[in-house]
Amino acid sequence: MTLRSYLEGSWRAGTGEGVPVADAVTGEIVTLVTSEGLDLAAAVTYARRTGLAALGELTFPQRAAALKAAALALQERRQELYDLSARAGATRGDAAVDVDGGIGTALVYASLARKGLPDHTLIAEDDPVPLGKGGTFAGRHILTTPHGISLQINAFNFPVWGMLEKLAPALLAGLPTIVKPATPTAYIAAHAVRIMEEALPPGAIQLVAGNISGLFDLLGGQDHIGFTGSVATAARLRSDPAVTRRSARFNAEADSLNCSVLGPDAVPGQPEFDLFADALITEMTVKAGQKCTAIRRAFVPANLIDAVTGAVEARLARVVVGAPGAGGVTMGALVGLAQREDVRAAVARLRSAGSLIHGDPDKVEVVGADAERGAFLSPLLLRVDDVARPEPHEVEAFGPVSTLMPYGDIADLPELIARGKGSLAGSVVSYDRDFVRQIVLGAAAHHGRILVLDRDSAGESTGHGTPMPQLVHGGPGRAGGGEEEGGLRAVYAHLQRTAIQGGPAALDSIVK
């Protein structure tokens, strides 16, 4: 039952009792996770020697071809990943967001690299810049592969997408990757690696199931660390000497108190009113609200909050909670019982600032499963009328939970939004161009991404909570202060930028 790690080109089981991982729906043990007894130092050495050498022999287009092959292998066997995801509480729709989203992201990166990167192993970033009057001395910038590794530490909610959106740019940059998946869904990430391994060069990917204690001691200035998870864990990792003293590159994407703002023009009967209510339901129920981009704070004009409350409640009443695949189920389980308890504790703190207007954190009707053995929770809608209370701006319930808050003066909105102290994603739902402009410009400094949703864009909109590989994903402050994806920007972030100076002919000979 012990989940094997993929190290130095083979699957190896750790020793010891291991951490039991339960089926989120039935409570049955799926696997045991342990890295005890595994030689992580050897894995790092293998990545730096075998992985770097194998990737270093490939040009950017050749790396893109390997990435595409890995993505297509996953696509061919994605049903296996859907089935495993159901054990983690994910409905078919939830699994598609993770699995298909990850595959799509990898394919986008392969395409971007094939079209936008040179048939080379380095990038000449700019044209020569004259540095002398006679034309015999100039400078330019090149991007090259560091002599290190990429370590990715992922959250439990997206075991496939979270891995692929980090793997893709690292692979294209020529950096071998060691994946450390979150324990509750590590078995899904491991199966994805098992599918991909033959399509990738030797050493390009390894996976550690379990603790990586001591691995940071092996990292330094040539290495890249990508983290997704809680603010507290990001702060702890960022303070490690690998980052603070040896200057390993560290990028964090942390959970945040994302908001959505309804414009005063979006009264009942207008398309934007329904778009707002629908978006809120989507963000509360997809992945059972376990999304770092989900809407936690919903700002609504004070004169519309009763109407919005009624519209959202009516939609929530149609949500069916239960076992993935059971008839009529539209929302699955949380990833585990411990996560359910964490959400309940956070909801208790939020209720101290306002009121619970839909759902019961201690009781839920479940289809096709046992409500107590599985990690099921009712979708919970709260309302806080005193927007000066700190709780809704500080406490995140990482589950199917959102809080409605009224606003009066539009001029107060930027300050209310900023009280979240930095967010991954925000949205403005309005057809009033002046209002949209005012809110976007007032909130941009506090967000990594802002969606404007209205009747014109709704048909093609990818939604509030969906990061796109072509656009940056990350955010300031509480959101981690990092930046992922963003097309080829993510590849460049893994490369070393070096200014070179010399005669024009010498510079040309370097980049030819």
Side-chain angles (χ1 to χ4, degrees):
M1 293 178 67
T2 299
L3 182 65
R4 293 176 179 269
S5 294
Y6 184 61
L7 302 173
E8 300 176 72
S10 64
W11 290 92
R12 305 177 180 186
T15 59
E17 295 183 0
V19 176
V21 175
D23 187 305
V25 177
T26 67
E28 298 174 352
I29 300 302
V30 176
T31 190
L32 301 173
V33 176
T34 175
S35 60
E36 188 176 337
L38 299 178
D39 191 342
L40 300 187
V44 172
T45 299
Y46 179 74
R48 288 197 174 126
R49 291 179 180 172
T50 304
L52 269 178
L55 289 170
E57 292 176 355
L58 304 179
T59 64
F60 292 112
Q62 289 171 329
R63 295 170 193 167
L67 177 62
K68 181 179 180 179
L72 293 178
L74 289 171
Q75 190 169 62
E76 185 176 346
R77 297 173 60 182
R78 58 185 175 180
Q79 185 61 49
E80 298 169 26
L81 297 169
Y82 295 158
D83 294 341
L84 288 176
S85 298
R87 304 204 71 179
T91 66
R92 173 64 176 77
D94 296 336
V97 172
D98 182 33
V99 177
D100 294 355
I103 293 169
T105 294
L107 290 173
V108 166
Y109 268 101
S111 176
L112 290 172
R114 193 170 59 252
K115 297 175 183 177
L117 295 179
D119 190 13
H120 208 304
T121 57
L122 65 79
I123 297 172
E125 193 175 26
D126 49 18
D127 293 327
V129 177
L131 298 175
K133 294 181 179 180
T136 63
F137 188 59
R140 67 189 311 182
H141 296 89
I142 59 172
L143 299 173
T144 60
T145 302
H147 293 175
I149 70 167
S150 171
L151 170 65
Q152 54 166 275
I153 304 169
N154 293 324
F156 67 78
N157 49 344
F158 288 100
V160 179
W161 175 83
M163 174 171 59
L164 290 175
E165 61 99 12
K166 293 181 178 69
L167 174 66
L171 182 72
L172 293 173
L175 280 181
T177 293
I178 295 178
V179 179
K180 194 284 181 216
T183 294
T185 52
Y187 60 95
I188 303 173
H191 193 67
V193 171
R194 193 177 291 277
I195 293 171
M196 290 190 293
E197 61 175 284
E198 292 186 3
L200 297 175
I205 190 169
Q206 298 180 82
L207 178 139
V208 181
N211 192 287
I212 56 169
S213 178
L215 199 152
F216 268 53
D217 295 339
L218 308 173
L219 303 182
Q222 294 294 306
D223 303 306
H224 184 283
I225 304 166
F227 170 78
T228 299
S230 71
V231 177
T233 304
R236 178 170 58 82
L237 297 179
R238 188 183 281 112
S239 65
D240 191 274
V243 180
T244 60
R245 295 182 186 176
R246 298 190 295 278
S247 301
R249 301 187 192 191
F250 182 80
N251 188 82
E253 182 256 292
D255 308 329
S256 60
L257 289 161
N258 312 292
C259 73
S260 185
V261 180
L262 183 67
D265 61 299
V267 298
Q270 293 299 312
E272 287 71 28
F273 181 90
D274 291 320
L275 289 171
F276 180 85
D278 291 342
L280 192 57
I281 299 301
T282 296
E283 296 305 317
M284 289 178 68
T285 58
V286 171
K287 298 287 289 187
Q290 298 168 116
K291 295 171 60 182
C292 56
T293 53
I295 298 169
R296 305 303 179 190
R297 302 177 297 156
F299 294 112
V300 176
N303 66 313
L304 296 179
I305 194 163
D306 288 337
V308 170
T309 299
V312 175
E313 280 196 282
R315 287 164 169 79
L316 287 174
R318 297 194 291 268
V319 174
V320 179
V321 179
V329 168
T330 57
M331 190 179 94
L334 298 179
V335 74
L337 296 177
Q339 181 64 22
R340 184 172 68 180
E341 291 310 306
D342 285 348
V343 174
R344 284 173 171 170
V347 169
R349 293 180 63 191
L350 290 170
R351 290 180 74 175
S352 70
S355 58
L356 180 66
I357 58 178
H358 183 90
D360 184 339
D362 300 314
K363 183 180 180 181
V364 58
E365 293 185 8
V366 172
V367 174
D370 186 312
E372 290 306 312
R373 289 182 62 83
F376 296 100
L377 189 69
S378 167
L380 304 168
L381 183 67
L382 297 101
R383 175 170 165 173
V384 174
D385 289 323
D386 183 0
V387 296
R389 290 289 299 256
E391 291 86 353
H393 308 290
E394 296 176 359
V395 178
E396 180 179 24
F398 200 70
V401 183
S402 192
T403 301
L404 293 173
M405 287 184 282
Y407 69 85
D409 192 336
I410 295 173
D412 295 334
L413 268 173
E415 189 276 332
L416 283 176
I417 293 169
R419 293 191 66 184
K421 297 182 176 64
S423 297
L424 295 171
S427 56
V428 184
V429 189
S430 171
Y431 205 56
D432 182 333
R433 299 289 184 262
D434 290 335
F435 175 80
V436 167
R437 182 178 187 276
Q438 182 178 348
I439 301 306
V440 170
L441 295 183
H446 305 282
H447 285 79
R449 176 172 60 86
I450 299 177
L451 166 73
V452 177
L453 182 60
D454 60 27
R455 67 195 72 178
D456 293 342
S457 64
E460 292 188 332
S461 176
T462 50
H464 169 101
T466 306
M468 300 301 292
Q470 300 92 335
L471 304 178
V472 296
H473 177 50
R478 179 182 175 128
E483 202 175 89
E484 299 175 336
E485 300 197 292
L488 295 180
R489 293 177 184 85
V491 180
Y492 300 154
H494 287 77
L495 298 171
Q496 175 60 43
R497 178 177 288 108
T498 303
I500 55 174
Q501 297 170 284
L507 297 185
D508 286 346
S509 71
I510 294 171
V511 302
K512 68 179 182 180

